[in-house]
Amino acid sequence: MEAARLHEYTDDMSEGLAIDEVDRPAATGPDDVIVEVEGAGWCQTDNHIIEGMWAEYVPQELPMTLGHENAGTVVETGDDVDLVSPGDPVICHPVQTCGTCRPCRLGETMYCENDAFNGLTTDGGFAEYLHTSERSVIPLPSGVDPVDIAPHADAGITAYHAVKKAAAELNPGDHAVVVGVGGLGHIGLQCLDAMSAAQITAVDLKDSALDLAEGYGADFLVNPTDDDVAAEIEAITDGTGAAQVLDFVGEDVTTAYAPEITAAGGDHHIIGYGGHVHEPSQALVNGEFSFVGNIVGRYAELQELVALVEQGDVDLHTSRYDLGEINAVAEKLEHREIDGRAVITP
């Protein structure tokens, strides 16, 4: 089968991945599930993996097939698999967990001590077939297209995971800010609109992204190119600030918004990454706000997100590309030329 594989780290996205001919995976273990990949979302994290940003955080043996947002049809299962059968459409949580370590027993599957992460620590779904496990697949409701839902496997549940925490702290009359209405942000904004009664301001450098945000429920729009973000949020909230800020960019300039736009006792959620947090400790003490880190959501949260999709509360704005266009997609994302989410269709 064909697979898009990373052979060496590089900053040049035009030749980041190579299309190789590799062996098709097989269900050799009792809990194995082999999925014919119909859609695999491209993520900014894929760019970061190609750049080598994850090498010091997780073990990576190259060459490796990338792709951690996967959906498709089951074609083979291990002897003990009961949840799905060949022919079933599924979405695949990117993390394969053991189920027996203490974090798994506590339901914190993202902290599994024995995990394998498709496209990050083991082969992913930028290929014709994907090897995963029964614990990682979720059957799709009738009528849900695997290609359309694939990016929810990471972008969706990462956004949902952060929004779920933020929504728990939002009351009617509160204000929330979504920074960056891109691949994750446009999902997070919809989740926030569906799960809270707060008013929402969307912040983005692209007018096309702000147009998308307005259609997805944003009450106010701010373009930092034209307006001072802190002054706009101060005016919108009558000087109170935002109870919850969801930062889907995570660059130095956006984390620096925190002390100026976050309400006292509020949270600035870091979801996008690549930058740094540079704030004096006194700023946190004075405003008593918190920076909150977020990673991929739990298996159960992906189930919850699929329910939101099924009932029409969350839509994905996607564009489709062939496997052979994979490096062109990486370049487009690097230059912020993609609105919403790009999906590879192997």
Side-chain angles (χ1 to χ4, degrees):
M1 69 172 188
E2 288 190 334
R5 292 169 64 80
L6 175 66
H7 287 260
E8 60 181 1
Y9 303 121
T10 178
D11 292 330
D12 185 356
M13 294 298 130
S14 69
E15 53 183 30
L17 303 181
I19 305 298
D20 296 340
E21 189 70 29
V22 299
D23 292 337
R24 171 185 159 170
T28 56
D31 302 317
D32 287 353
V33 176
I34 306 302
V35 175
E36 184 174 8
V37 181
E38 296 179 40
W42 185 280
C43 179
Q44 184 69 53
T45 290
D46 291 311
N47 290 55
H48 292 328
I49 294 169
I50 292 170
E51 292 165 341
M53 284 180 59
W54 280 91
E56 64 179 288
Y57 296 98
V58 297
Q60 292 185 323
E61 184 177 339
L62 303 184
M64 179 175 64
T65 304
L66 268 57
H68 54 273
E69 299 179 346
N70 307 305
T73 302
V74 175
V75 294
E76 185 183 354
T77 62
D79 292 340
D80 293 347
V81 174
D82 295 319
L83 180 63
V84 293
S85 301
D88 289 346
V90 294
I91 186 169
C92 308
H93 193 287
V95 180
Q96 299 171 55
T97 57
C98 71
T100 57
C101 68
R102 180 167 175 77
C104 281
R105 298 291 194 188
L106 292 170
E108 295 294 348
T109 49
M110 284 308 302
Y111 307 150
C112 175
E113 297 170 355
N114 307 294
D115 69 336
F117 198 120
N118 288 123
L120 182 64
T121 67
T122 191
D123 285 339
F126 290 155
E128 295 175 70
Y129 296 91
L130 172 74
H131 175 279
T132 184
S133 69
E134 184 178 29
R135 288 180 55 83
S136 299
V137 295
I138 294 175
L140 290 176
S142 177
V144 176
D145 186 343
V147 179
D148 289 337
I149 202 172
H152 280 314
D154 176 42
I157 51 170
T158 300
Y160 177 83
H161 177 68
V163 168
K164 188 175 182 179
K165 289 191 285 186
E169 303 297 327
L170 287 168
N171 299 305
D174 284 345
H175 202 91
V177 172
V178 173
V179 181
V181 192
L184 274 76
H186 87 287
I187 302 168
L189 193 152
Q190 294 175 78
C191 292
L192 192 59
D193 187 47
M195 297 166 65
S196 82
Q199 288 198 309
I200 305 169
T201 292
V203 179
D204 202 287
L205 293 167
K206 295 169 60 178
D207 288 334
S208 59
L210 293 176
D211 289 341
L212 198 63
E214 187 173 29
Y216 284 143
D219 299 289
F220 303 93
L221 309 173
V222 177
N223 187 326
T225 304
D226 305 319
D227 302 302
D228 180 89
V229 173
E232 291 295 313
I233 300 302
E234 182 178 17
I236 291 168
T237 64
D238 294 326
T240 302
Q244 298 289 305
V245 178
L246 292 126
D247 185 351
F248 291 98
V249 178
E251 295 180 358
D252 290 16
V253 65
T254 60
T255 61
Y257 291 153
E260 296 182 303
I261 70 172
T262 309
D267 300 308
H268 185 112
H269 294 264
I270 305 294
I271 306 136
Y273 62 96
H276 307 81
V277 175
H278 297 292
E279 295 301 331
S281 56
Q282 185 176 351
L284 277 76
V285 171
N286 183 56
E288 203 173 24
F289 68 90
S290 301
F291 284 105
V292 180
N294 294 272
I295 198 168
V296 182
R298 298 183 291 272
Y299 179 94
E301 289 174 324
L302 183 53
Q303 290 178 309
E304 294 163 13
L305 178 58
V306 169
L308 282 179
V309 172
E310 186 181 14
Q311 64 194 38
D313 288 322
V314 177
D315 174 58
L316 260 177
H317 184 76
T318 61
S319 51
R320 301 184 182 191
Y321 300 86
D322 294 334
L323 188 63
E325 300 176 276
I326 202 154
N327 290 327
V329 173
E331 285 191 289
K332 284 177 178 290
L333 192 62
E334 194 78 358
H335 298 124
R336 298 181 178 177
E337 295 174 356
I338 294 176
D339 287 333
R341 211 70 176 166
V343 181
I344 306 301
T345 54

